Amino acid sequence: MPFVLKNRQTSEIYACMLMNHYNIGYYGAKYWEDGEEAGREYASFLLSEGTDIIGEWEVVEVEEEQLKLFNVKLGNNATRKLYLGGDGKAVVRMTEAE
């Protein structure tokens, strides 16, 4: 099952520009296939993305279908932020474009 990054305080799921298996860029939820790999890499990944408050994020396991839904809800749109509700449902909020 995939592993994603969730903000401990806001429940935001970390999303950024990624590359699919066709080497095409898209905006989606950052994930790892392996929990150990995620645990080893997430801090350096966040630093490389310019996020310096590593302790605010945690690695959480999600269902494959849930990850797919995350990306559908993000709609390849970087002005959207994705949050995981207490009921496990994904909620999207729009942000202002930079």
Side-chain angles (χ1 to χ4, degrees):
M1 283 208 259
F3 295 81
V4 298
L5 293 173
K6 182 178 99 170
N7 188 289
R8 295 175 193 271
Q9 295 176 354
T10 66
S11 294
E12 179 182 354
I13 299 298
Y14 195 90
C16 60
M17 288 304 297
L18 302 168
M19 294 293 248
N20 67 17
H21 60 277
Y22 298 109
N23 210 26
I24 298 171
Y26 71 99
Y27 183 75
K30 172 61 178 165
Y31 73 97
W32 290 265
E33 292 291 338
D34 179 84
E36 289 180 20
E37 181 182 14
R40 284 191 312 270
E41 294 180 0
Y42 86 94
S44 60
F45 167 76
L46 288 172
L47 287 172
S48 74
E49 290 283 302
T51 304
D52 58 355
I53 307 174
I54 307 304
E56 288 185 3
W57 296 91
E58 64 182 333
V59 175
V60 296
E61 186 175 21
V62 297
E63 299 283 334
E64 184 76 33
E65 294 78 21
Q66 196 172 21
L67 177 62
K68 290 176 182 177
L69 182 61
F70 290 170
N71 290 327
V72 167
K73 287 191 171 270
L74 286 168
N76 202 23
N77 184 340
T79 63
R80 295 181 180 181
K81 297 284 183 187
L82 180 69
Y83 299 87
L84 192 58
D87 58 1
K89 296 195 186 241
V91 177
V92 172
R93 296 187 189 123
M94 299 295 286
T95 62
E96 291 185 28
E98 296 180 14

